[in-house]
């Protein structure tokens, strides 16, 4: 089976969760190639149509797997190759014209994947050709390390209080202001920006910090939460996306109100406990390893191909 991945290509690379998923599926005797979508906005995406048609003619894919609604809409401008579209959140949560275009894409696609139930419910999609399927996490890249060793590697003080912020400070959706207010209520606490690191460095940060803090206004199924769980990193998060479902019942992981005082209280509790969590087992038991998700995607591809072939030859 030949699959063409259609996804935005920014700063010379695809999003890690796109490339990691594609590589994991490729290990199941599925041939993968990519079409990079370059440009922004509706018209920026539409400019890629000619190049995509040329790529389809050259590669002859059995399926196109598009990531995000606009990529899916672009892929569906042709009707010869069935399209599977994965919706990651910003394409749905943005509302307005973006949600409208994403809904058009849903009804054109042969199959739709929503990375969280909340996204699916927001989209209010009524047909049956969909699955709720989070992106898988890489258990080989993210793993537990001794906290003291990780801190030594980073040059951190062993007795310091370090909180890893789940994103870049300037990203307004991440709500840095709320995190900063909470941290200032805890003496000696340092907030570390998660920006500009490669995957190996992120693994080190998650093992060295006391906890991961997420204060986002909007999320879908944030990968950073699952990656932190694989590292046994304590987590404090507001109720956003599927985080509550992911960390529910795990000792050392908390859902906080969107109030600095409540977040600060939970930070103090984590500093008191000074223990790692059992999040890694939750990820594995929930079938959220990359290889588990890859097998489920393989089944989706096979079903779409079978239905497409059946419809194609109906007289």
């Amino acid at each position: 089976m030949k699959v063409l991945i259609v996804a935005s290509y920014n700063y010379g690379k695809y999003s890690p969760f796109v490339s990691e998923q594609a590589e994991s599926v490729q290990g199941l005797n599925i041939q993968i190639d990519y079409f990079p979508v370059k440009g922004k906005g509706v018209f920026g995406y539409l400019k890629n149509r000619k190049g995509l048609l040329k790529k389809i003619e050259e590669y002859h894919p059995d399926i196109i797997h598009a990531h995000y609604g606009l990529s899916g809409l672009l892929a569906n401008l042709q009707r010869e190759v069935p399209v599977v579209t994965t919706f990651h959140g910003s394409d749905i949560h943005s509302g307005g014209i973006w949600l409208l275009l994403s809904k058009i894409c849903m009804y054109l696609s042969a199959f739709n994947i929503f990375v969280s139930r909340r996204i699916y419910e927001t989209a209010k999609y009524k047909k049956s050709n969909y699955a709720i399927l989070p992106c898988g996490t890489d258990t080989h890249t993210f793993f537990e390390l001794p906290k003291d060793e990780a801190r030594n590697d980073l040059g951190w003080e062993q007795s310091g209080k370090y909180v890893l912020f789940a994103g870049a400070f300037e990203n307004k959706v991440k709500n840095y202001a709320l995190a900063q207010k909470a941290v200032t209520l805890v003496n000696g606490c340092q907030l570390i920006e998660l920006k500009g690191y490669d995957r190996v460095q992120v693994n080190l940060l998650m093992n060295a910090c006391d906890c991961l803090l997420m204060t986002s206004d909007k999320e879908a199924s944030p990968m950073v939460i699952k990656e932190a769980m694989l590292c046994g990193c304590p987590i404090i998060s507001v109720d956003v996306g599927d985080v509550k479902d992911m960390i529910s019942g795990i000792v050392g992981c908390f859902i906080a109100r969107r109030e600095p005082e409540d977040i600060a209280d939970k930070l103090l509790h984590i500093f008191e406990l000074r223990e790692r969590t059992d999040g890694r087992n939750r990820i594995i038991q929930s079938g959220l390893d990359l290889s588990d998700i890859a097998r489920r995607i393989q089944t989706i591809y096979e079903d779409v191909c079978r239905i497409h072939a059946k419809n194609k030859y109906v007289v």
Side-chain angles (χ1 to χ4, degrees), residues 2 51-61:
K2 297 170 72 175
L52 177 58
L53 292 177
K54 182 179 179 183
K55 182 67 177 182
I56 291 171
E57 186 178 351
E58 293 171 351
Y59 183 56
H60 300 293

Side-chain angles (χ1 to χ4, degrees), residues 45-93:
Y45 271 63
L46 289 177
K47 288 179 181 178
N48 291 269
R49 182 175 182 272
K50 185 176 179 181
L52 177 58
L53 292 177
K54 182 179 179 183
K55 182 67 177 182
I56 291 171
E57 186 178 351
E58 293 171 351
Y59 183 56
H60 300 293
D62 298 294
I63 283 179
I64 294 174
H65 189 165
H67 289 268
Y68 290 96
L70 275 184
S71 290
L73 192 60
L74 170 66
N76 275 297
L77 291 179
Q78 58 76 45
R79 305 305 292 160
E80 293 297 318
V81 183
V83 177
V84 173
T85 303
T86 295
F87 296 89
H88 292 275
S90 59
D91 38 16
I92 304 298
H93 291 317

Side-chain angles (χ1 to χ4, degrees), residues 233-307:
C233 180
I235 295 166
I236 298 174
S237 175
V238 294
D239 186 7
V240 64
D242 64 355
V243 178
K244 188 174 183 179
D245 292 335
M246 290 298 303
I247 68 175
S248 176
I250 299 177
V251 176
C253 293
F254 302 93
I255 294 295
R257 298 190 298 274
R258 294 179 182 274
E259 301 168 0
E261 294 78 12
D262 189 52
I263 294 171
D265 284 344
K266 289 175 170 58
L267 283 171
L268 288 169
H269 187 61
I270 282 177
F271 293 140
E272 237 178 73
L273 285 175
R274 301 191 72 83
E275 293 179 0
R276 306 309 279 175
T277 76
D278 195 31
R280 187 177 185 87
N281 281 337
R282 171 69 60 83
I283 291 291
I284 293 170
Q285 291 168 5
S286 300
L288 293 175
D289 175 68
L290 269 174
S291 58
D292 294 319
I293 298 298
R295 284 189 287 272
R296 294 174 69 180
I297 290 174
Q298 179 189 30
T299 301
I300 290 170
Y301 288 167
E302 290 171 349
D303 289 346
V304 168
C305 279
R306 185 179 65 253
I307 293 170

Side-chain angles (χ1 to χ4, degrees), residues 27-45:
L28 299 173
N29 296 317
I30 294 173
Q31 186 176 332
I32 296 289
D33 202 350
Y34 296 84
F35 178 79
V37 180
K38 298 176 182 179
K40 293 183 178 180
V42 178
F43 294 108
Y45 271 63

Side-chain angles (χ1 to χ4, degrees), residues 76-135:
N76 275 297
L77 291 179
Q78 58 76 45
R79 305 305 292 160
E80 293 297 318
V81 183
V83 177
V84 173
T85 303
T86 295
F87 296 89
H88 292 275
S90 59
D91 38 16
I92 304 298
H93 291 317
S94 297
I97 185 65
W98 307 110
L99 176 57
L100 175 61
L101 293 173
S102 290
K103 289 178 80 70
I104 292 171
C105 171
M106 289 171 209
Y107 285 94
L108 291 173
S109 296
F111 198 88
N112 298 288
I113 297 173
F114 302 92
V115 299
S116 76
R117 179 163 293 280
R118 188 168 291 188
I119 292 175
Y120 164 71
E121 290 172 350
T122 302
K124 297 179 180 178
Y125 186 62
K126 301 300 183 182
K127 298 180 72 176
S128 61
N129 59 331
Y130 76 93
I132 296 168
L133 190 63
C135 292

